[in-house]
Amino acid sequence: MPDDLQLQIVRNVLEKLKGTPGALLPILHDIQQGVGYIPDAAVPEIAHALNLSLAEVRGVITFYHDFRTTPPARHTLRLCHAESCQSRGAGQLAAQLRERLNLDDHGTSPDGQVSLRPVYCLGACACSPALELDGRLHARVDATKLDELLNRCLEDRSC
């Protein structure tokens, strides 16, 4: 998306929401919804509109893990790290993902295909380990099932 189109989206969101009490979070959500992430050029615009410092705006963006400051990967994989999933092999699945995709936790594969996001509960404790791939929950995941899921995604089939 061209920078001028991104800034127009940012300005439209700011115009709509800047007078709302507690507007920062709704503004950030709407910008991310419209652009796909929070572009760096949006930060001064937001700070000026809300009479905040750049540090205050960046602090909120970096505090919440759901805000992105770079374009999103094609696929998002959220791996549960809660106690139940850890005890059933989530740590080994995380290592498998890091090695296969050449990334770290909260990272994106070099080809931009998959983003790894550790989470601390997906609500699937009874059938752990669990992960969410592009919004779809997968339970009782083992190394083989993980490879199958990744292969389907990377081959542009349904995740």
Side-chain angles (χ1 to χ4, degrees), residues 36-104:
Y37 66 103
I38 312 293
D40 196 47
V43 174
E45 299 274 335
I46 297 166
H48 178 75
L50 299 179
N51 197 28
L52 298 171
S53 71
L54 295 174
E56 288 172 305
V57 176
R58 284 196 177 102
V60 171
I61 293 169
T62 58
F63 179 80
Y64 293 102
H65 291 291
D66 284 339
F67 291 126
R68 294 181 300 270
T69 56
T70 58
R74 186 164 189 188
H75 304 285
T76 300
L77 192 152
R78 295 172 12 125
L79 180 63
C80 182
H81 284 277
E83 289 81 5
S84 177
C85 288
Q86 282 295 328
S87 70
R88 302 284 306 207
Q92 291 87 349
L93 294 176
Q96 180 181 349
L97 285 165
R98 288 190 298 266
E99 183 177 324
R100 172 148 183 210
L101 299 173
N102 191 27
L103 52 72
D104 59 3

Side-chain angles (χ1 to χ4, degrees), residues 1-2 5-7 9-10 13 27-40 42 61 65-76 108 115 117:
M1 178 180 296
L5 183 56
Q6 290 177 350
L7 278 177
I9 291 170
V10 169
V13 168
I27 286 170
L28 292 172
H29 282 290
D30 278 12
I31 290 171
Q32 184 161 289
Q33 180 71 31
V35 178
Y37 66 103
I38 312 293
D40 196 47
I61 293 169
H65 291 291
D66 284 339
F67 291 126
R68 294 181 300 270
T69 56
T70 58
R74 186 164 189 188
H75 304 285
T76 300
T108 300
S115 197
R117 303 291 232 201

